[in-house]
Amino acid sequence: MSEFTQGFSTAFALIATANSELLAIITLSLKVSSTAVLIASALALPFGAWLALSFFPGRQIVIAILNGMMGLPPVVVGLLIYLLLSRAGPMGALGLLFTPTAMVVAQTLLIFPIIAALARQVIEDAWSEYREQLMSLNASRLQSMVALLWDMRFTLLTAVLAGFGRAIAEVGAVMIVGGNIDGVTRVMTTAISLETSKGDLAMALALGVVLITIVVIINAIAQIVKTTAMRRHG
Amino acid sequence: MADLYTNAPPVLAPASAEAKNVLIQANTVESILPLNVKSLRYAVGAAELIRGVSFVVQRGSRNIVLGANGAGKSVLLRLLHGLLPPSGGQIEWAHSNAQFKQAMVFQRPIMLRRTARENIEFSLRLTQRGHRSRDSRGHRSRDSRGHRISDVASAAEAALDRVGLAHLADRPARLCSGGEQQRIALARAWALSPEVLFLDEPTASLDPTATKAIEEIIHAINKTGTTIIMTTHDIGQVKRIASRVLFLHRGQLIEDAAATPFFETPQSPEAAAFIKGELLW
Ligand SMILES: Nc1ncnc2c1ncn2[C@@H]1O[C@H](COP(=O)(O)OP(=O)(O)OP(=O)(O)O)[C@@H](O)[C@H]1O
Ligand SMILES: [Mg+2]
């Protein structure tokens, strides 16, 4: 058998037997990325809504920067967090470098702009539609924000899922701040990268298959949520 | 503050009773009408959309702003309701809390992504906030308009029932037909028991039966003391509803008359032509 097909069959065997190393890596990946998504969403959704309903000098610049930061290179984010958390850095005393916490911080920073920018766009569109009605009811800005976030929740969920997709698939940031330590900070992407360079293609492929499956499922959920919402609420 | 008030020693009781009388009196004189509009102007860039409009709206009246497409009717209503900042002139309400005592139904109804009932409940809850009063035990029980807080759900259903849409209570509002949405919007505004109700072409997308029903509702709302300020370009509707007609032509108020004289002896050729159903230009 060629190395290629051999790799695949071993990979599926690893998945089918629920290999414990494989499971540990997948679990940590999911934990880190979903924590990052929760934190980023808790901050980015209100921020995006606030930005959509606010007028201040320089607003357009803030929006432009936010949109630009959607494409932040993960390695640069990793580098920034590394500098921040390294022994000599301003937050070095916390001793967070090379921990899952550091990875959560890096991924949160990475996906905050994505969720915030998408939320801003969604809420601003809804606001231009709802504005007069909410003003007519004397809704405060906070009340309007809450109403819009609630009404657009299904569309916003797709923004959150986009953030999750980005977080779970990135490698640069977690590699730098996590260090890819076996059993501690090794996640799917960093493991794939390492196993490939070591020549252990089976493990790399197994993780690759799982990762792709997760990403596909997330996109499917996003699609279903979107169409269901359209059908249910118009 | 309210707790201090309810726990106040008996010595203060007469004083608080007196305060209650004052409040009751205040309620009766607190009307936001008459509304005094003076030389109102609204411009977007070089376009003068409302050009120096003046009129007075009296309590309990049914005012219809009449005019052709693009005359400025919707802009005028938005200005009066406080949704657009005037470029000049004044909009003087008789009381400073005017913004909390009016409601508006838009030409294109704006429905939240919720059920019909939830749309109305949302409005009721929103307008209750900060205006709640308390009962004798200090419990929040009624809002400024006298709704019981716990009654929001039933108030919403009653409102839908009044416009004949009780059966649509649980349907997502945006999936309702245009005419149904318009009636939900009317129910939503009515539920707030506004002192002034702005209606921007409330029957524009309704069939004759629904139009008749809505016109009856408008009369019913008016009978409860709510002042109506609405637009239409349906002459028949003016005759059926208006106690007073404001004829708007290219942003100018060229006629302001009681309904009967407006139809019998229009003062301007534009109004005369409009009544006869001729094109104005
Ligand atoms: N924001 C705006 N900027 C520029 N022009 C505007 C704006 N809003 C309204 N207009 C113009 O002002 C005029 C009056 O508009 P308005 O919507 O008040 O007309 P209307 O009398 O309500 O007409 P209709 O019977 O069709 O509803 C129209 O010519 C419209 O194009
Ligand atoms: Mg109009």
Side-chain angles (χ1 to χ4, degrees):
Chain A
M1 246 195 291
S2 76
E3 191 186 17
F4 190 73
T5 47
Q6 166 93 50
F8 261 107
S9 56
T10 319
F12 281 108
L14 283 173
I15 296 172
T17 57
N19 176 277
S20 67
E21 192 191 342
L22 185 76
L23 277 189
I25 292 172
I26 295 168
T27 310
L28 183 65
S29 269
L30 291 173
K31 265 190 195 159
V32 167
S33 295
S34 41
T35 310
V37 163
L38 283 181
I39 298 171
S41 301
L43 300 170
L45 294 177
F47 177 73
W50 174 82
L51 194 55
L53 269 61
S54 297
F55 285 97
F56 54 88
R59 176 176 179 270
Q60 285 307 325
I61 297 171
V62 173
I63 291 173
I65 292 173
L66 194 62
N67 287 341
M69 280 173 39
M70 288 174 83
L72 273 184
V75 277
V76 177
V77 172
L79 179 61
L80 285 176
I81 302 296
Y82 180 90
L83 292 175
L84 217 59
L85 298 180
S86 70
R87 275 266 197 73
M91 301 177 79
L94 296 174
L96 290 177
L97 198 61
F98 304 135
T99 65
T101 308
M103 296 154 75
V104 169
V105 172
Q107 288 194 347
T108 302
L109 188 68
L110 190 69
I111 61 178
F112 173 88
I114 296 175
I115 301 176
L118 292 175
R120 200 272 312 166
Q121 188 64 59
V122 167
I123 298 295
E124 198 167 307
D125 290 348
W127 173 234
S128 69
E129 193 192 342
Y130 284 15
R131 196 180 58 91
E132 290 199 316
Q133 184 63 51
L134 289 170
M135 280 173 68
S136 171
L137 293 167
N138 298 301
S140 68
R141 189 190 311 178
L142 184 64
Q143 289 169 333
S144 298
M145 276 170 54
V146 172
L148 289 161
L149 283 169
W150 176 252
D151 267 35
M152 301 314 292
R153 61 194 180 280
F154 296 112
T155 314
L156 291 171
L157 187 59
T158 65
V160 170
L161 290 173
F164 184 78
R166 168 102 160 141
I168 196 110
E170 74 81 24
V171 55
V174 280
M175 184 69 99
I176 295 181
V177 304
N180 194 24
I181 304 166
D182 191 9
V184 183
T185 59
R186 183 162 297 171
V187 290
M188 285 191 275
T189 52
T190 56
I192 290 173
S193 150
L194 177 74
E195 302 300 343
T196 308
S197 62
K198 276 190 349 198
D200 182 356
L201 289 188
M203 191 57 157
L205 274 173
L207 286 164
V209 167
V210 173
L211 185 54
I212 287 175
T213 309
I214 290 173
V215 171
V216 167
I217 289 175
I218 285 167
N219 281 308
I221 293 175
Q223 196 56 41
I224 291 167
V225 163
K226 214 176 202 165
T227 47
T228 311
M230 280 303 285
R231 228 186 13 245
R232 283 248 301 273
H233 297 278
Chain B
M1 281 297 282
D3 287 343
L4 283 177
Y5 182 77
T6 33
N7 295 336
V11 196
L12 288 181
S16 59
E18 208 174 278
K20 260 182 203 158
N21 284 333
V22 171
L23 265 179
I24 290 161
Q25 274 175 13
N27 269 337
T28 55
V29 294
E30 191 173 68
S31 172
I32 64 172
L33 292 166
L35 161 65
N36 210 332
V37 179
K38 296 176 181 166
S39 314
L40 184 62
R41 291 197 314 106
Y42 185 74
V44 179
E48 289 271 345
L49 304 183
I50 298 293
R51 328 176 183 208
V53 166
S54 305
F55 58 91
V56 177
V57 174
Q58 298 295 349
R59 241 171 130 173
S61 53
R62 296 181 305 277
N63 308 271
I64 288 194
V65 181
L66 190 62
N69 291 133
K73 305 183 294 294
S74 296
V75 170
L76 179 60
L77 252 58
R78 283 191 169 87
L79 283 165
L80 299 180
H81 190 39
L83 297 177
L84 291 174
S87 308
Q90 281 94 41
I91 299 169
E92 291 175 3
W93 296 94
H95 198 277
S96 58
N97 68 354
Q99 76 178 105
F100 299 106
K101 304 235 160 174
Q102 27 177 312
M104 178 154 173
V105 175
F106 295 92
Q107 191 165 355
R108 263 174 289 180
I110 303 164
M111 289 294 132
L112 273 60
R113 288 170 175 77
R114 308 173 188 215
T115 65
R117 185 215 322 267
E118 284 163 354
N119 260 277
I120 298 173
E121 287 176 0
F122 172 78
S123 300
L124 285 168
R125 290 216 183 83
L126 207 55
T127 49
Q128 275 173 356
R129 217 161 290 183
H131 297 276
R132 293 175 180 184
S133 55
R134 288 158 190 263
D135 66 15
S136 55
R137 283 163 305 178
H139 293 144
R140 290 175 168 192
S141 65
R142 282 168 193 273
D143 70 355
S144 59
R145 295 170 166 111
H147 299 298
R148 280 229 206 92
I149 303 289
S150 58
D151 281 355
V152 164
S154 47
E157 260 176 45
L160 280 171
D161 196 35
R162 284 187 299 221
V163 297
L165 290 184
H167 61 291
L168 292 186
D170 293 315
R171 171 140 353 144
R174 296 164 75 92
L175 298 185
C176 293
S177 79
E180 287 164 350
Q181 289 191 28
Q182 204 135 23
R183 284 198 270 170
I184 296 167
L186 192 63
R188 183 169 60 184
W190 193 8
L192 302 177
S193 315
E195 199 181 328
V196 174
L197 179 58
F198 293 100
L199 303 167
D200 197 355
E201 303 198 19
T203 58
S205 53
L206 301 184
D207 61 46
T209 316
T211 299
K212 190 162 171 286
I214 293 299
E215 287 176 358
E216 276 162 16
I217 289 167
I218 293 171
H219 274 293
I221 298 176
N222 179 244
K223 286 221 178 68
T224 64
T226 296
T227 301
I228 307 288
I229 303 177
M230 64 179 274
T231 70
T232 186
H233 23 62
D234 176 350
I235 297 275
Q237 186 161 66
V238 183
K239 289 183 175 162
R240 292 188 294 272
I241 293 180
S243 63
R244 185 260 197 109
V245 180
L246 296 157
F247 187 74
L248 209 56
H249 179 63
R250 296 183 183 173
Q252 279 175 312
L253 185 62
I254 58 174
E255 203 118 1
D256 176 357
T260 315
F262 174 79
F263 284 109
E264 284 172 3
T265 51
Q267 301 298 302
S268 62
E270 290 88 353
F274 193 90
I275 292 165
K276 271 196 260 158
E278 287 173 21
L279 282 179
L280 288 187
W281 50 80

